Amino acid sequence: MAQILLHGTLHATIYEVDRLHSRRGGNIFSKLRENFEEAVGIGKGTSRIYATVDLEKARVGRTRMLENEPDNPRWFESFHIYCAHLASDVIFTIKDNNPIGATLIGRAYVPVSELLDGEEVDRWVEILDEHKNPIHEGSKIHVKLQFFDVTRDRNWARGIKSVRYPGVPYTFYSQRSGCRVSLYQDAHVPDKFIPRIPLSGGQFYEPHRCWEDIFDAITNAKHFIYITGWSVYTEITLIRDTRRQKPGGDITIGELLKNRASEGIRVLMLVWDDRTSVGLLKRDGLMATHDEETAQYFKDTDVHCVLCPRNPDNGGSFVQDLQISTMFTHHQKIVVTDSGLPNGDTDRRRIVSFVGGIDLCDGRYDTQFHSLFRTLDTAHHDDFHQPNYTGASISKGGPREPWHDIHSRLEGPVAWDVLFNFEQRWRKQGGKDLLVNLRELDDIIPPSPVVYPDDQEAWNVQLFRSIDGGAAFGFPESPEEAAGAGLVSGKDNIVDRSIQDAYIHAIRRAKNFIYIENQYFLGSSFAWDNSDIKVEDIGALHVIPRELSLKIVSKIEAGERFTVYVVVPMWPEGIPESASVQAILDWQRRTMEMMYKDIIQALQAQGIEEDPRNYLTFFCLGNREVKKSGDYIPSEKPEPGSDYEKAQEARRFMIYVHAKMMIVDDEYIIVGSANINQRSMDGARDSEIAMGGYQPHYLSLPSQPARGQVHGFRMALWYEHLGMLDNSFLHPESEDCVRKVNELADKYWDLYASEELEQDLPGHLLRYPIGIASEGQVTELPGTEFFPDTKARILGAKSDFLPPILTT
């Protein structure tokens, strides 16, 4: 049967299965169970039946497991499924779970063609075996389905539209109004770096300084300081700009937190316990978190630092539990404190939260100059980070790995949501109940707007997460209650995966352009070319890349301009030739290729001959610096002939993109800890947190583009990356803009890759070094098989021994 594109939202309900008895006495389950017990040699078990919803080979929903209901399992579970899939059937699969896996009972099929008119389909569907023959007793499953095409969504391609926009639906946290947001590019911005960027109302964009603000927040807290991190390193300092010194700014963060705790401030830290037994990842430099050092440092002090593994939710198989606790991480990066009021009133306190991509650890401090060599005797002398070469050290010299990242500060009701997230996590994994009871403190202002309704600088903000009941206390256990709380019921856990939902909604609302910066970019594996892989084994099922390509396709079909800009690192941090890094690059190539094929097919269908990079364009960041007198002189040299030596001689290296951000139409922004990969978007893998927000007074309207803080922030980022601003940048969807940005990035890549070096690189934004063939295949650029100064293939390589669950 022909496959049909389902792009929209599918509401599905699985009610029950009838008559699972066979004529010969006993039921299907007892037969399976007997066979299993005989084969494995263990005692009597109980049936644990669950059902899944699949669109072809993509799993899009699963029920909880029912114990001891072998004859007539009744789930009555509903699913809200975002679709961007080609499928001929919606498939319901019924399985019996056992300690080493799951046994197939049968499948039921509802043709997609019956759903396209948007009418509700409510019926009993026959359950078939692997050969599509009815199973014993003609068992059936009762399901209800209704599909809503994106074009019927009243927000599709309409933007935020009005101040009454209610936020992303079906989520744990609702949208909060009356908030303030500060956006941060990198850990620090030097004085006078950002040029004058005009905003609405005669204002100009003013940058904020992340680590200065975090230092102030910690220094001025009166009651509590709560921190979660993938990594926290006690030996770093937050204040390093000699022109912007602060009293006590030379103290390490470890000493700062110890001092505050000894003054009676409650300091609680949840740091990921890196128990990974996956030696491959550790060896490649992907995991270097100092978790044991940090715990040891705070031992027997007033700081309560808890190392918490990524505990699985209860109920998984033994194999699954092992996978989650050793493969996945706690990835949220937050600081929550109480703070005085902006008017200087320190007697009354309110909550301030920081959310984003920057961990308080080594290698993260950087400015927009992203120097490779020139800060090695100053800001980076005691913070030399270069995990991409074996044996790299400050004594052997640069290049250090520069770090580009994005963070945010939240004030107002949404700051309390971040606090509640910390409390949920502490109650689950923190051990002793040490949380400050804020209700008992007279000076804490309860959750309330921090700006007046008519304040032009007000924000509406919503908090999103990827997390499950294994990491957050108090998730409801029943699927009905979970759905009511904006959570998703899985086979054996309750999951919050609202970050993925937030991305999908923002992409679907987009009118003109999308700008993404992310450490990873891979997913929608159900739509990849499957000539050399089994797509069902990959499992990178989140739909974000496919949503982006389908958005572009819809605009091409409507004869409208739309551009997506994506900035990623050259390669994921680690030894670039290693199996894990090469596998991730291979998934990234397949993702890009899937998107370009969609776009080229749409252009061809409209009879348009145009470079697909005018619609979708990928970049990375890099830097080159000429030698100057007074540069740091290392006492040793890298290994002769090593890639480290080559990079040192060529005076170049990538700027590592660690940001996790998306800007839509200059009116809406998502900033958080979540990468665009399955680990971050799944909800049951890495734990993540993100904010999504907009300013109601600065919306993108037909008469006036959005010119608030989000616009100013994007322009500041483009100035950082391109070393200049151009009038065309005011309209990123325009052909003028995308051509200009692509031309500059092509030029900067040529300068970066050149054998010659006559001056510093004028800008950091480089074309991602790939070509696009006429049918959308992603190819090498002529003569560019490897990243400069490495033997690492740009297009990556499939790994035959690393399981995809690790690298997707």
Side-chain angles (χ1 to χ4, degrees):
M1 198 186 298
Q3 293 193 335
I4 298 165
L5 176 64
L6 271 185
H7 187 204
T9 308
L10 179 66
H11 291 207
T13 302
I14 299 178
Y15 293 108
E16 59 184 321
V17 173
D18 71 346
R19 295 199 309 274
L20 279 173
H21 281 81
S22 69
R23 289 173 196 275
R24 291 182 296 280
N27 61 35
I28 294 167
F29 295 110
S30 59
K31 297 281 183 235
L32 293 170
R33 183 80 44 199
E34 282 160 23
N35 294 343
F36 171 71
E37 286 165 3
E38 195 177 339
V40 180
I42 60 173
K44 295 267 182 258
T46 54
S47 64
R48 301 177 79 208
I49 309 157
Y50 68 98
T52 64
V53 190
D54 300 271
L55 294 172
E56 296 308 311
K57 292 174 178 172
R59 173 126 323 146
V60 293
R62 69 194 324 166
T63 67
R64 70 194 184 284
M65 287 188 283
L66 294 178
E67 290 193 15
N68 300 317
E69 290 191 36
D71 305 341
N72 175 212
R74 296 160 60 88
W75 293 280
F76 286 75
E77 279 186 49
S78 295
F79 303 88
H80 181 86
I81 300 161
Y82 297 111
C83 313
H85 304 69
L86 278 171
S88 48
D89 295 289
V90 179
I91 304 166
F92 297 91
T93 304
I94 301 94
K95 290 187 173 182
D96 178 24
N97 201 59
N98 55 55
I100 59 164
T103 309
L104 175 71
I105 293 153
R107 294 188 173 96
Y109 301 82
V110 175
V112 164
S113 55
E114 296 181 20
L115 304 175
L116 297 179
D117 61 6
E119 295 298 314
E120 194 176 273
V121 173
D122 186 340
R123 69 167 71 134
W124 288 88
V125 188
E126 200 164 37
I127 299 172
L128 310 178
D129 65 16
E130 286 157 301
H131 308 292
K132 298 234 175 148
N133 298 316
I135 65 169
H136 304 276
E137 285 291 318
S139 295
K140 292 181 178 177
I141 184 168
H142 182 195
V143 298
K144 182 170 75 177
L145 294 165
Q146 190 168 18
F147 174 65
F148 300 89
D149 192 86
V150 279
T151 55
R152 293 172 59 197
D153 180 346
R154 63 176 183 273
N155 292 312
W156 170 250
R158 302 276 300 277
I160 298 291
K161 213 167 51 180
S162 123
V163 296
R164 290 187 299 279
Y165 172 69
V168 179
Y170 309 105
T171 53
F172 188 81
Y173 294 107
S174 55
Q175 180 177 280
R176 312 297 185 192
S177 57
C179 301
R180 265 193 196 286
V181 175
S182 305
L183 298 169
Y184 302 110
Q185 62 189 109
D186 304 310
H188 185 64
V189 182
D191 286 340
K192 299 188 171 63
F193 175 80
I194 304 291
R196 280 164 72 84
I197 297 170
L199 306 179
S200 289
Q203 305 289 313
F204 290 91
Y205 177 72
E206 286 289 333
H208 301 275
R209 294 170 176 85
C210 184
W211 277 15
E212 281 189 12
D213 286 356
I214 288 177
F215 176 83
D216 289 344
I218 291 172
T219 303
N220 297 320
K222 185 174 159 187
H223 297 297
F224 70 92
I225 300 161
Y226 295 163
I227 296 172
T228 74
W230 175 81
S231 170
V232 176
Y233 189 42
T234 56
E235 300 308 305
I236 60 158
T237 54
L238 296 175
I239 307 299
R240 304 188 201 179
D241 187 337
T242 53
R243 288 176 294 275
R244 293 181 62 90
Q245 287 300 315
K246 287 176 175 285
D250 55 349
I251 195 172
T252 65
I253 191 164
E255 289 302 307
L256 177 62
L257 291 171
K258 278 206 295 198
N259 292 350
R260 299 299 352 255
S262 68
E263 292 163 12
I265 313 296
R266 182 61 51 88
V267 180
L268 304 183
M269 297 170 63
L270 289 170
V271 178
W272 174 50
D273 182 3
D274 180 3
R275 288 184 180 175
T276 179
S277 55
V278 188
L280 286 159
L281 289 187
K282 275 207 156 168
R283 192 177 66 234
D284 294 344
L286 286 176
M287 311 279 179
T289 60
H290 307 288
D291 53 337
E292 298 297 338
E293 290 168 66
T294 300
Q296 202 56 42
Y297 181 90
F298 289 120
K299 195 177 173 195
D300 301 324
T301 73
D302 295 316
V303 174
H304 302 277
C305 177
V306 174
L307 295 188
C308 44
R310 176 64 181 91
N311 277 356
D313 205 343
N314 299 330
S317 69
F318 170 74
V319 178
Q320 276 177 317
D321 287 1
L322 201 65
Q323 276 179 348
I324 292 167
S325 60
T326 57
M327 288 184 189
F328 301 129
T329 75
H330 280 309
H331 207 237
Q332 296 183 345
K333 302 134 193 345
I334 64 176
V335 177
V336 189
T337 69
D338 63 290
S339 164
L341 302 187
N343 63 6
D345 178 356
T346 57
D347 292 334
R348 291 171 25 187
R349 316 293 291 174
R350 66 184 190 197
I351 306 303
V352 172
S353 298
F354 296 82
V355 169
I358 306 181
D359 278 296
L360 298 174
C361 67
D362 48 329
R364 297 328 190 240
Y365 181 89
D366 214 344
T367 71
Q368 294 66 49
F369 295 110
H370 297 299
S371 181
L372 306 174
F373 299 95
R374 290 178 190 152
T375 54
L376 294 186
D377 53 359
T378 53
H380 293 107
H381 187 73
D382 299 319
D383 187 6
F384 180 84
H385 184 70
Q386 180 47 282
N388 303 275
Y389 300 126
T390 306
S393 69
I394 185 72
S395 59
K396 294 177 187 172
R400 63 176 278 271
E401 179 185 67
W403 196 270
H404 174 65
D405 219 326
I406 290 173
H407 217 73
S408 69
R409 180 178 65 190
L410 308 177
E411 301 167 71
V414 72
W416 286 78
D417 291 338
V418 183
L419 170 68
F420 183 63
N421 165 78
F422 182 90
E423 291 176 339
Q424 278 192 310
R425 286 196 51 196
W426 184 269
R427 288 193 174 105
K428 190 72 180 186
Q429 290 192 291
K432 288 187 212 161
D433 183 11
L434 297 168
L435 295 164
V436 175
N437 187 344
L438 299 182
R439 289 187 190 84
E440 292 177 357
L441 301 175
D442 296 336
D443 57 350
I444 297 274
I445 301 169
S448 52
V450 292
V451 291
Y452 293 111
D454 58 350
D455 189 324
Q456 300 285 303
E457 293 307 308
W459 282 74
N460 289 354
V461 190
Q462 195 169 3
L463 197 67
F464 307 110
R465 292 187 297 184
S466 292
I467 202 164
D468 64 18
F473 177 81
F475 275 12
E477 292 189 9
S478 83
E480 297 79 16
E481 287 180 272
L487 302 170
V488 182
S489 168
K491 182 175 77 170
D492 45 36
N493 56 2
I494 300 293
V495 177
D496 182 342
R497 57 157 176 254
S498 50
I499 297 177
Q500 184 182 163
D501 295 357
Y503 270 86
I504 294 165
H505 272 261
I507 294 163
R508 289 184 177 184
R509 285 194 312 267
K511 294 187 290 191
N512 302 312
F513 79 92
I514 289 173
Y515 175 59
I516 290 171
E517 293 186 2
N518 207 288
Q519 182 187 0
Y520 293 92
F521 192 84
L522 62 94
S524 306
S525 57
F526 54 84
W528 294 354
D529 173 25
N530 61 0
S531 55
D532 64 337
I533 53 170
K534 283 179 72 176
V535 291
E536 60 269 38
D537 292 347
I538 309 302
L541 296 176
H542 74 88
V543 297
I544 293 165
R546 195 80 201 281
E547 287 287 348
L548 289 165
S549 62
L550 291 177
K551 168 62 74 169
I552 295 167
V553 166
S554 74
K555 291 291 188 173
I556 291 169
E557 290 171 350
E560 298 171 11
R561 285 291 322 159
F562 194 91
T563 312
V564 175
Y565 301 81
V566 183
V567 181
V568 292
M570 272 190 213
W571 67 81
E573 189 179 60
I575 308 296
E577 296 84 0
S578 67
S580 55
V581 171
Q582 286 289 299
I584 293 165
L585 290 170
D586 178 61
W587 305 140
Q588 177 180 278
R589 172 191 63 80
R590 292 171 192 272
T591 304
M592 292 174 173
E593 193 165 276
M594 173 269 296
M595 297 173 76
Y596 278 123
K597 284 181 175 176
D598 280 351
I599 292 162
I600 285 171
Q601 283 170 15
L603 290 169
Q604 289 172 345
Q606 299 296 313
I608 300 169
E609 279 190 42
E610 200 176 347
D611 185 347
R613 285 179 71 222
N614 288 348
Y615 296 88
L616 171 66
T617 179
F618 289 91
F619 307 98
C620 53
L621 301 179
N623 198 8
R624 291 191 85 171
E625 291 175 333
V626 293
K627 258 189 180 160
K628 283 189 172 178
S629 62
D631 271 6
Y632 169 76
I633 299 168
S635 56
E636 303 169 47
K637 284 189 165 18
E639 196 77 27
S642 64
D643 291 350
Y644 185 12
E645 183 190 58
K646 286 181 207 160
Q648 193 173 91
E649 287 174 355
R651 309 278 298 182
R652 68 185 160 204
F653 199 69
M654 71 165 168
I655 297 166
Y656 196 58
V657 177
H658 191 258
K660 300 98 171 48
M661 178 212 72
M662 181 168 78
I663 287 173
V664 178
D665 297 335
D666 274 352
E667 70 177 359
Y668 188 82
I669 186 167
I670 295 173
V671 171
S673 65
N675 297 312
I676 296 180
N677 62 4
Q678 193 63 25
R679 292 178 73 107
S680 286
M681 294 296 167
D682 190 90
R685 297 188 183 184
D686 291 354
S687 65
E688 310 282 5
I689 194 164
M691 60 73 80
Y694 63 96
Q695 293 183 281
H697 292 280
Y698 301 109
L699 300 181
S700 173
L701 305 169
S703 56
Q704 169 66 47
R707 292 289 179 261
Q709 292 298 316
V710 178
H711 166 76
F713 187 63
R714 178 184 62 80
M715 293 292 275
L717 288 168
W718 283 28
Y719 179 75
E720 172 185 345
H721 299 332
L722 288 158
M724 59 165 291
L725 288 177
D726 187 89
N727 274 340
S728 66
F729 297 175
L730 295 171
H731 301 281
E733 72 278 9
S734 69
E735 208 168 326
D736 283 352
C737 180
V738 71
R739 283 184 191 278
K740 178 80 175 174
V741 173
N742 278 338
E743 277 168 19
L744 285 166
D746 289 0
K747 179 178 129 188
Y748 296 164
W749 171 261
D750 291 342
L751 289 169
Y752 180 86
S754 159
E755 296 298 309
E756 308 298 316
L757 175 62
E758 293 168 4
Q759 61 177 54
D760 289 355
L761 209 57
H764 298 148
L765 191 77
L766 315 178
R767 172 189 186 140
Y768 199 83
I770 53 166
I772 302 139
S774 59
E775 297 301 312
Q777 294 89 347
V778 169
T779 62
E780 294 164 4
L781 286 178
T784 314
E785 182 182 358
F786 305 114
F787 292 110
D789 311 317
T790 77
K791 296 173 278 297
R793 293 196 63 226
I794 291 166
L795 300 184
K798 189 157 68 87
S799 171
D800 291 326
F801 64 92
L802 278 177
I805 196 169
L806 263 183
T807 52
T808 56

